[in-house]
Amino acid sequence: MTTENLAVPPVSSADSASLIALMTTERWIEVGRIVLTGSVAFLYWQNLIPEYVLWAAVAIGLYPLVKAGLIDLFTERKIGTEIFVTVATLVAVFGGETVAGAVLMVIILIAEFIAELNTDRARASIKSLIGSVPQTALIRNASGKEQTVPVGEVKAGQIVLVRAGEKIPVDGVVVGGAAAVNQAPITGESLPLDKAEGSEVFAGTIVESGAIDVQTNKVGGDTIFSRIIALVENAESERAPVQKLADRVASWLIPIVLVFLVGVYIVTGDISKVVTLLIFTSPAELGLATPLVMIAAIARGARSGVLIKGGLYLELLAQADVMVFDKTGTLTANKPEVVRVQSLDAGLPEADLMRLAAAADRRSAHPLAKAVVEDAARRNLPVPEPESFEQIQARGVKATVEGKQVLVGNPALLKEAGVAISEAIVDAGRTPVHVAVDGKFVGVIFIADKLRPGAKEAIAALKQSGVKRVVMLTGDNAATAKAIADELGVDEVKADLMPEDKVAAIADLQKAGHRVAMVGDGVNDAPALARADVGIAMGGGGTQAALEAADIALMTDDLNKIVAARNIARRSYRTIQENLWVGVGVVHVLGITAALMGWIGPIEAAFIHLGPDVLVFLNSVKLLNVKISGA
């Protein structure tokens, strides 16, 4: 057992794991060991039993501590708290402070038992913090008959029926019915969303009204919900640097303390004082100061629709002084629309220009190309299939349409093809798509993408939180990018970038000594997200790639979730510092001072020793309920 894994208890009955279920046979043995040792110590103190009985009880009580301590010593080459407590108990017993040694051991056993129990309660409640998935599903088989089966037996393609008040057991697409679905377990959004035929739904979400037929895409461990659970549960392994530092300090402190105590004994010859100091120089709270906070912060983030993959990323996000955003799909809504068409050839009407451009773009998956094709459809223009088509990265498309060579893209595309173009046409805030036909520049299609709601407010909030620079990276032209940046309050713009240029831009910021957080869509920006100190992907609730690519995944496209993640990170980092300096430093200094002055003895110290544990515990768990902006 170790107090290093002490975790937060649930904060409500809905979050609670049953204590009875957690009380395994091994736990009842621990309870018996504590009761036996405590009872024997009390009886000996009352002179009702001989000393050898107390020694036997102490041996029984020390067994789990010695076992855990030796495992740490030989497997991890670490002198842990268990060895420290064992030494303190033995020094007290053999030094004539037998009752004090037994009381100390009982108190430590109680603390360790509570720590272990709370650890399992916290881990068992992580799922309930987010939600749970039904264990059965009502399916409609090929003959139209309905039957209830275990969810593990549901196959991809089968139709699952979900009624009002029920949780959806699979990931899939609605193929019948309509419903209002509460997606808070996945996205953290409190308002239900309307779902109809063609809508995507997720396991673990709740049908609040209506009824739907869902065609299964994923079940069990493949669902987005299960991936979230797995990533949150594994987040403990990604320890923050401050957590690793606390562990290292604890390992260094123990031998130093032992040397100090030997010196005290040589000078004073007072074994009682040495035992008292042993209690207050225990580094156990250093092990508690950070894991508690990290688990609480990760759980708080998950409940708010922010998936944080470990304490490492919490600390890095708290320390980030530069926030880098991709433009398209992050600061903008990624729903571009044609707003103006300008023909530069009197013999080519606007409608013909759009028809040729849409024909060239119809095989492209680029958002701007889709906007051109959709606009042509709205105009009811007949758009032919191109005879040939080529997508040119970061440039545009080249196609043959009705025997004509058509280029649709940015000025660089036209210039590289030898098309005469005196200067690029710009329109602030709009992206100009240049069109050439048979080697002649014939017109421009202006496309605008709406700003994502709340983007300006989110950037302002990030600056208030201590972010010194906000940078926007985009492959769009400089004029359009600057207009958007000015409207949002972005400090710096880097435009006309290829994907590798975005990676280089982040590397340059890091070389200048900045801690960089990058926000993107988690798919197209994967290299840049990986290069940044912290990669934040938006819209993780709908894509497996976003969950895998980023260090932090936002389960919706709400930019305020970035503010929430930043504020959770900063609050957790501050809480760790409070734990280390106040809960550990101040209390221990006062305790050591009182011991050296002879104001307290071993038994008083053993009871007072619980103080730092309680302070650290209470200060950490408040992260689950304290008001945090955006969370």
Side-chain angles (χ1 to χ4, degrees):
M1 295 185 296
T2 172
T3 52
E4 291 180 0
N5 289 326
L6 180 61
V8 298
V11 295
S12 70
S13 58
D15 297 330
S16 299
S18 170
L19 285 177
I20 296 176
L22 293 174
M23 288 301 295
T24 61
T25 301
E26 291 76 11
R27 289 255 160 70
W28 283 114
I29 291 174
E30 291 300 317
V31 171
R33 181 180 286 113
I34 292 169
V35 172
L36 172 66
T37 309
S39 300
V40 170
F42 176 77
L43 293 173
Y44 176 78
W45 181 47
Q46 296 294 318
N47 296 317
L48 297 176
I49 57 173
E51 188 173 28
Y52 68 85
V53 176
L54 177 61
W55 282 41
V58 168
I60 294 172
L62 282 178
Y63 170 74
L65 299 175
V66 173
K67 180 181 177 181
L70 290 177
I71 289 173
D72 281 349
L73 184 63
F74 290 107
T75 60
E76 300 182 24
R77 305 293 181 189
K78 181 179 76 173
I79 300 177
T81 303
E82 291 81 5
I83 291 289
F84 200 87
V85 172
T86 300
V87 171
T89 302
L90 293 177
V91 167
V93 170
F94 287 107
E97 295 286 346
T98 312
V99 175
V103 170
L104 166 63
M105 185 190 61
V106 170
I107 290 173
I108 295 300
L109 285 174
I110 292 171
E112 294 263 321
F113 175 78
I114 294 172
E116 280 283 309
L117 195 61
N118 278 329
T119 296
D120 286 350
R121 290 179 73 190
R123 287 172 180 160
S125 68
I126 281 177
K127 289 184 181 180
S128 65
L129 281 171
I130 306 171
S132 60
V133 173
Q135 297 305 303
T136 61
L138 179 64
I139 65 169
R140 180 186 295 132
N141 58 29
S143 63
K145 183 180 179 181
E146 297 178 4
Q147 64 180 118
T148 300
V149 300
V151 72
E153 295 181 7
V154 179
K155 303 291 190 298
Q158 286 188 313
I159 304 300
V160 175
L161 313 181
V162 191
R163 304 183 181 93
E166 297 177 348
K167 287 188 177 181
I168 299 173
V170 298
D171 284 1
V173 177
V174 177
V175 293
V181 177
N182 181 348
Q183 296 195 149
I186 298 290
T187 65
E189 294 175 306
S190 57
L191 295 178
L193 299 178
D194 292 331
K195 301 288 183 177
E197 288 190 32
S199 299
E200 191 173 23
V201 292
F202 305 107
T205 57
I206 305 159
V207 175
E208 293 199 346
S209 62
I212 50 177
D213 300 347
V214 179
Q215 185 175 44
T216 303
N217 288 338
K218 296 176 182 178
V219 296
D222 294 329
T223 63
I224 291 293
F225 179 87
S226 294
R227 291 293 303 137
I228 292 171
I229 292 293
L231 290 170
V232 171
E233 289 179 336
N234 292 334
E236 280 185 82
S237 62
E238 292 290 346
R239 299 193 303 165
V242 68
Q243 189 173 348
K244 295 177 182 178
L245 176 61
D247 289 346
R248 287 198 300 270
V249 169
S251 65
W252 299 336
L253 190 61
I254 290 174
I256 294 172
V257 164
L258 291 176
V259 171
F260 165 70
L261 294 174
V262 170
V264 169
Y265 181 71
I266 291 173
V267 172
T268 66
D270 187 347
I271 194 68
S272 177
K273 190 182 296 292
V274 170
V275 174
T276 305
L277 287 170
L278 265 169
I279 295 168
F280 273 115
T281 50
S282 166
E285 289 77 17
L286 282 174
L288 294 175
T290 54
L292 274 166
V293 179
M294 293 306 174
I295 294 174
I298 289 166
R300 177 67 181 266
R303 211 162 46 181
S304 303
V306 178
L307 179 59
I308 303 163
K309 295 188 180 179
L312 168 64
Y313 310 115
L314 271 172
E315 182 171 344
L316 290 173
L317 181 59
Q319 295 174 343
D321 60 343
V322 174
M323 191 73 68
V324 177
F325 287 88
D326 180 60
K327 178 180 77 71
T328 305
T330 303
L331 293 175
T332 62
N334 200 21
K335 295 180 180 177
E337 296 179 349
V338 173
V339 292
R340 185 163 70 91
V341 179
Q342 180 180 349
S343 176
L344 303 177
D345 186 338
L348 187 68
E350 181 180 300
D352 288 340
L353 174 65
M354 282 299 302
R355 188 175 66 85
L356 291 173
D361 272 338
R362 67 181 301 164
R363 293 185 184 176
S364 173
H366 194 282
L368 297 184
K370 290 181 179 180
V372 172
V373 174
E374 289 171 1
D375 188 75
R378 280 193 294 269
R379 295 168 183 249
N380 295 318
L381 298 176
V383 179
E385 275 286 342
E387 290 94 62
S388 66
F389 170 84
E390 181 183 358
Q391 180 91 41
I392 303 173
Q393 187 180 33
R395 293 291 184 265
V397 301
K398 178 167 63 175
T400 302
V401 181
E402 298 177 341
K404 298 181 177 66
Q405 294 297 316
V406 181
L407 300 175
V408 183
N410 58 24
L413 173 69
L414 274 61
K415 290 178 181 178
E416 290 170 5
V419 176
I421 176 172
S422 56
E423 62 181 27
I425 296 177
V426 297
D427 188 350
R430 299 171 179 177
T431 300
V433 176
H434 294 62
V435 183
V437 177
D438 288 336
K440 181 181 178 183
F441 180 28
V442 295
V444 181
I445 301 170
F446 293 94
I447 298 176
D449 193 358
K450 295 179 181 179
L451 295 180
R452 189 173 293 283
K456 185 174 183 178
E457 292 78 8
I459 288 174
L462 287 170
K463 289 182 177 180
Q464 290 178 353
S465 75
V467 174
K468 296 177 182 177
R469 288 167 67 185
V470 176
V471 180
M472 184 172 77
L473 305 181
T474 179
D476 209 343
N477 69 82
T480 300
K482 187 176 186 306
I484 291 174
D486 289 344
E487 186 172 351
L488 293 176
V490 172
D491 301 311
E492 183 180 343
V493 177
K494 295 182 184 293
D496 297 307
L497 299 181
M498 300 283 280
E500 58 268 24
D501 296 329
K502 295 181 181 181
V503 175
I506 290 174
D508 289 341
L509 288 167
Q510 291 170 326
K511 288 175 184 176
H514 295 292
R515 285 287 179 92
V516 181
M518 166 75 186
V519 185
D521 59 18
V523 181
N524 299 324
D525 302 299
L529 290 172
R531 177 61 188 176
D533 295 292
V534 185
I536 304 173
M538 296 182 62
T543 64
Q544 182 82 0
L547 287 173
E548 301 294 345
D551 305 316
I552 297 173
L554 311 182
M555 306 315 292
T556 69
D557 290 328
D558 183 0
L559 284 170
N560 283 319
K561 297 295 184 184
I562 299 172
V563 179
R566 165 80 170 180
N567 290 337
I568 289 171
R570 283 168 54 83
R571 186 60 181 257
S572 63
Y573 194 57
R574 190 178 81 192
T575 302
I576 289 171
Q577 292 174 319
E578 292 169 354
N579 286 351
L580 290 172
W581 291 109
V582 180
V584 179
V586 173
V587 174
H588 276 236
V589 167
L590 292 176
I592 291 170
T593 301
L596 289 173
M597 298 299 292
W599 296 337
I600 58 175
I603 294 180
E604 295 94 329
F607 283 102
I608 295 172
H609 179 265
L610 291 175
D613 288 1
V614 174
L615 286 175
V616 167
F617 176 79
L618 293 177
N619 195 43
S620 300
V621 298
K622 72 181 182 184
L623 270 173
L624 286 172
N625 288 320
V626 71
K627 185 176 181 181
I628 298 177
S629 178

